[in-house]
Amino acid sequence: MGSFRSIRTKALGFSLAFTLIPVILLGTYSYVATTRIMTEHYRVLNGGAVRQLGNTIRFMMNDVSDLSLFLIQNEALRGMLWSQTPPDTDSLDSPKRQLERSLMSLVHSKGYIHSIYVSGFNGTVVDSRGTQDQIPEQLRSEIVEYGGSAVWRAGTVQQLGAGARATPVFSLVRLMRDLHDITVHLGIIRINLDVAAVRRILVNSVEGQQTALMVLDSRSTLVSTSSSNRFDEEMRARVANELEAGRRTGQFVADVVGTASLITFVSLGHGEWVVASATPLRSVVRQTQNVQRTIVLLILGVFLLYALIATAFLRRFVSPVQRLCELMSHAESGRFDVYTGTVPDDEIGQLIHSFNSMSSRLEDLINRQYASQLKLREAELTALQSQINPHFLYNTLDVLYWVSRLEHAKRTGELVKALSQLFRYTLDGSDRNTTVEREVDHLANYLIIQQARHDGSVAFRIDVQPEALDLVTVKLILQPLVENAIVHGVDRNGGTGTVVVHIFVDTGQLVYRIHDDGPGMDATAVQNAFARSGSHGVGLKNVHERIRLLYGEGFGVTMESSPRTGTTITVRQPVVTQGETVGSPAGR
C-alpha cells in the first residue's frame, strides 16, 4: 500500500479548493446576469416612460384636433366666413371681436396652445393673438388637396409689434368646409401648439438623468428636443433610418457620438410624428455597480462561512469513519465479535450499525448458504423423479392401448391412444412454443375423447389455411378455447350443437376463430368469462394473458356473444415462422 493520507485532510483540502470554482463562476454569472437583468429592466421602464410621454403629447395633439372640429362647427365663425360683407372690426362688441376674445380665453385655458388663426377665403381673418403669421400659398394649396383632413406642420409665428421674436410652433392646419355643402370651402384653420411647452415636458421627463428626448415630425424633422447639441442630430438620424425601414415603434442600441446608447421611439399617430429617447448604456450599467459590490461581499462571506462549517462537519464526520476502519481491520483478520459502542444517528451510524449486524450474522449466513446448497440438490433430485412419473403414465397407457387391441376393443383403444397423446403433449415441458399443425393434432386427440363423451351429439369442424400449419404459436391455445365452447356453449344447450374452428392468416396476423351455436351470453357474462381462471382447462384469462405477455398489448383474445346467437372467440397473434424468436421484434 502507498503512503497513507487522512480522509479528513483530503476532504478539507478538496472542499475548500473546490469551493473556489463555484464562487468564481457564481461571481461572474452574477455580474453578467445582474447587468443583463438591470439593462432589460431599464429597457422595459424606459419603453414605458417613452410611451407615457408619447401619450401625453398625443393627448395634446388630440385635444388640438378636437378643438379644430369645434371651430368647424361654430356657427358664428361659419357665418363670418360665409358672409360676403367684411365683418365689423372697429367696435369692441362686434361678433368678430367677441369671437377672438372667446378664442383667446380658450388659448389661455390650455397652456400648451400658442394661438388660433383662421383665414377665410372671403378675406376674413380671425386671430386669437395678434400675429404676422400668414398661411403661405403653397400650404393653402396643400391643405385644399387634403380636403378636410388635418395636417401637422412645424414652423414659427411672428407676433405684431416692434422687436417681437418668432415663436417656434408646430401647427394643426385643416380646411374648413360648409357643413351643408362640403364642396364649398370657407377657410383654413391653423391652431399653433407651443414648442416651448412641449420642450418643458421633455425636460421635466429627463430631469436628473443622462437621457435625451426629442419629437420628430412625419418628415423626420426635429421639432423639439430636451437639449441642443450634436447628440440630437445623430440621434435624429438613427431614428430616421428606423422610420425609413417602416418601423414606427421600437427599441435598439446604436452608437451616438461615439457612445453606445439605448434608443426608444414611439409613434404619436398624427401623420406618424414620433417621440424618441436616447440613454447611454454606461449610465444604465453604473446603476448596477452597488448591487454587484453587494453580491461580491455576500459571496465572500458565504465562502468563509462555508469553510468554517466544512471544518467542523468533517471533524464530526471523520471520527466515526476512522472507528469503522478499525472494526473492518479486525473483521479482515477473521474476528467477527467486534462492535462499536456509540453510533451516530446519520448515514455513517447506519453504516456502522450495518457492519455490526453483518459481523453478527456472517456465520449464520454461511450456514444458510450451505443449507441452500443441500436444498438445491434435493430439488434437482425431485425434478428428476417428476420426470420419471409421466414416463410411467405414458407406458401404462401404451400397455392399455395394446391390451384393448388384443381384446378387439377398437373404440377403447382409440380413446386410450388419444388420451396418451393428450397427456404426452400437455406434460411435455421441453418448450413453451409449438407449431399450428401440432396444436391442431393435439386438438384432434381432445375431440376424439369429447366425441365419445357426447356420443356423437356434438359436431366439430376444423378449417385450417395450409400456409398457417408451419407457423409458430404458443402451446395449449386451441384446446382450452374449444373446451370453453363445449362447457359454456354446447353443454348449456342440452349437450348438442356445433363447434367450428377456423385458423387463417390475415394481414400479417395468425387468427384462431372458435364459434359455437350455444345459447350465447350477455355483456356481463362475457366479462365474467375473462375473469374465471377456469376449472375446465387453462381458461380464457390465462390464454389471453399468455399471448399478451409474449407478443405485446396489441394481441390476445376477444369474445363476441349475445343471447340466442352463439359465441365467437377470436385469438390474434403476429405471424412467426420457424427459426424466429417468439416474442422478438422479428416475430412481430
Side-chain angles (χ1 to χ4, degrees):
M1 181 182 293
S3 60
F4 177 80
R5 187 177 300 171
S6 169
I7 188 174
R8 177 183 299 175
T9 303
K10 290 181 180 180
L12 183 59
F14 175 80
S15 177
L16 294 179
F18 191 74
T19 304
L20 292 176
I21 297 175
V23 166
I24 293 173
L25 292 177
L26 181 60
T28 303
Y29 173 79
S30 299
Y31 179 81
V32 174
T34 302
T35 301
R36 177 172 53 83
I37 292 173
M38 293 290 287
T39 302
E40 187 62 29
H41 182 63
Y42 183 80
R43 279 177 177 267
V44 175
L45 292 179
N46 181 259
V50 174
R51 282 191 294 272
Q52 182 62 37
L53 178 61
N55 290 336
T56 301
I57 298 177
R58 188 181 297 114
F59 171 79
M60 295 165 57
M61 299 177 77
N62 288 340
D63 191 33
V64 170
S65 179
D66 293 341
L67 179 57
S68 69
L69 296 177
F70 169 75
L71 293 177
I72 290 175
Q73 299 176 31
N74 186 280
E75 298 243 356
L77 178 59
R78 283 191 293 109
M80 291 181 195
L81 299 181
W82 179 263
S83 175
Q84 299 301 319
T85 303
D88 180 14
T89 58
D90 297 330
S91 174
L92 294 178
D93 294 328
S94 66
K96 178 177 180 297
R97 294 299 186 188
Q98 291 179 2
L99 179 60
E100 287 180 339
R101 284 196 298 271
S102 176
L103 294 180
M104 186 178 299
S105 299
L106 186 60
V107 168
H108 288 320
S109 68
K110 300 179 183 294
Y112 46 84
I113 296 180
H114 177 271
S115 57
I116 299 174
Y117 180 82
V118 181
S119 175
F121 289 113
N122 64 353
T124 301
V125 174
V126 177
D127 191 355
S128 68
R129 191 170 187 172
T131 64
Q132 297 177 358
D133 184 45
Q134 305 295 324
I135 299 177
E137 191 61 34
Q138 181 180 355
L139 181 57
R140 286 176 176 270
S141 301
E142 184 180 349
I143 296 304
V144 171
E145 289 180 6
Y146 272 99
S149 300
V151 178
W152 286 88
R153 288 290 182 266
T156 58
V157 172
Q158 182 73 38
Q159 290 185 249
L160 296 174
R165 294 184 301 173
T167 302
V169 295
F170 55 97
S171 309
L172 179 143
V173 188
R174 75 186 316 159
L175 180 65
M176 183 173 178
R177 298 182 293 191
D178 189 2
L179 294 178
H180 304 291
D181 186 359
I182 61 174
T183 61
V184 177
H185 299 169
L186 299 180
I188 295 176
I189 299 174
R190 178 172 181 173
I191 304 177
N192 301 310
L193 196 61
D194 194 349
V195 171
V198 176
R199 187 174 188 278
R200 283 194 297 272
I201 295 175
L202 299 181
V203 172
N204 293 335
S205 299
V206 298
E207 185 175 0
Q209 303 179 33
Q210 296 182 357
T211 299
L213 290 170
M214 62 176 55
V215 177
L216 306 180
D217 65 11
S218 58
R219 301 174 181 175
S220 299
T221 302
L222 184 61
V223 176
S224 180
T225 178
S226 61
S227 60
S228 300
N229 50 42
R230 190 164 61 92
F231 187 87
D232 293 338
E233 179 54 32
E234 287 203 25
M235 173 183 168
R236 184 206 64 78
R238 300 293 187 188
V239 176
N241 292 336
E242 295 294 314
L243 297 176
E244 290 176 3
R247 290 182 286 274
R248 292 295 175 262
T249 299
Q251 275 187 332
F252 61 95
V253 176
D255 187 76
V256 181
V257 194
T259 302
S261 301
L262 174 64
I263 299 178
T264 304
F265 62 100
V266 175
S267 172
L268 297 178
H270 290 273
E272 298 303 338
W273 285 45
V274 171
V275 60
S277 75
T279 304
L281 288 181
R282 63 172 180 267
S283 66
V284 178
V285 176
R286 190 178 298 119
Q287 300 176 20
T288 68
Q289 291 179 349
N290 292 333
V291 177
Q292 293 166 1
R293 280 194 293 267
T294 302
I295 291 176
V296 171
L297 293 176
L298 182 61
I299 291 174
L300 291 177
V302 170
F303 172 72
L304 293 177
L305 181 61
Y306 174 79
L308 294 175
I309 294 175
T311 303
F313 172 76
L314 288 174
R315 182 180 295 109
R316 182 179 181 275
F317 172 80
V318 172
S319 297
V321 174
Q322 291 174 337
R323 174 56 181 162
L324 182 59
C325 289
E326 295 176 3
L327 297 177
M328 294 180 68
S329 298
H330 289 298
E332 186 179 8
S333 63
R335 293 181 54 191
F336 301 107
D337 57 344
V338 289
Y339 304 97
T340 184
T342 304
V343 177
D345 55 348
D346 53 19
E347 287 80 1
I348 298 300
Q350 293 180 357
L351 184 62
I352 294 175
H353 178 74
S354 298
F355 178 80
N356 290 338
S357 299
M358 179 193 68
S359 298
S360 64
R361 295 176 56 192
L362 186 57
E363 186 176 359
D364 181 59
L365 291 176
I366 294 174
N367 293 334
R368 288 175 183 270
Q369 180 68 17
Y370 178 72
S372 65
Q373 291 293 332
L374 292 179
K375 290 182 179 180
L376 180 60
R377 297 280 183 169
E378 184 179 349
E380 291 174 351
L381 181 60
T382 302
L384 181 60
Q385 292 173 346
S386 67
Q387 293 178 0
I388 297 174
N389 292 333
H391 288 293
F392 175 75
L393 178 61
Y394 304 151
N395 293 335
T396 302
L397 291 174
D398 191 52
V399 170
L400 292 176
Y401 169 72
W402 287 108
V403 168
S404 63
R405 292 293 298 272
L406 292 174
E407 293 178 351
H408 303 289
K410 183 179 180 181
R411 182 62 173 163
T412 302
E414 291 178 352
L415 291 174
V416 171
K417 183 178 180 180
L419 180 61
S420 174
Q421 294 296 329
L422 195 69
F423 277 131
R424 186 180 300 275
Y425 183 80
T426 303
L427 298 176
D428 182 12
S430 60
D431 194 356
R432 66 180 179 180
N433 303 316
T434 184
T435 63
V436 174
E437 184 175 14
R438 291 190 63 196
E439 189 72 5
V440 171
D441 291 341
H442 174 67
L443 177 62
N445 289 323
Y446 174 75
L447 293 181
I448 290 173
I449 299 173
Q450 288 295 338
Q451 285 279 24
R453 175 173 172 265
H454 291 85
D455 195 21
S457 62
V458 180
F460 298 98
R461 189 172 78 246
I462 303 176
D463 297 328
V464 185
Q465 199 175 44
E467 53 264 33
L469 289 173
D470 292 331
L471 297 180
V472 177
T473 184
V474 182
K475 198 172 182 180
L476 294 176
I477 291 294
L478 285 175
Q479 183 263 324
L481 300 180
V482 173
E483 181 180 5
N484 183 83
I486 294 172
V487 173
H488 299 288
V490 174
D491 289 350
R492 292 174 56 197
N493 202 31
T496 62
T498 302
V499 177
V500 179
V501 179
H502 188 198
I503 304 174
F504 58 96
V505 176
D506 179 29
T507 62
Q509 295 183 354
L510 176 61
V511 182
Y512 307 90
R513 187 160 289 154
I514 298 93
H515 176 76
D516 67 78
D517 57 359
M521 59 186 77
D522 57 20
T524 302
V526 170
Q527 294 179 354
N528 293 336
F530 275 94
R532 289 191 294 265
S533 62
S535 59
H536 301 277
V538 182
L540 288 176
K541 181 179 180 182
N542 188 294
V543 173
H544 180 64
E545 290 180 350
R546 284 196 296 140
I547 291 178
R548 286 163 59 92
L549 180 63
L550 192 60
Y551 297 115
E553 298 292 329
F555 304 98
V557 181
T558 58
M559 177 184 289
E560 298 177 5
S561 182
S562 59
R564 297 183 297 280
T565 62
T567 301
T568 300
I569 298 175
T570 303
V571 181
R572 291 184 179 271
Q573 70 166 71
V575 170
V576 182
T577 59
Q578 297 188 49
E580 293 184 14
T581 302
V582 178
S584 67
R588 298 182 188 179

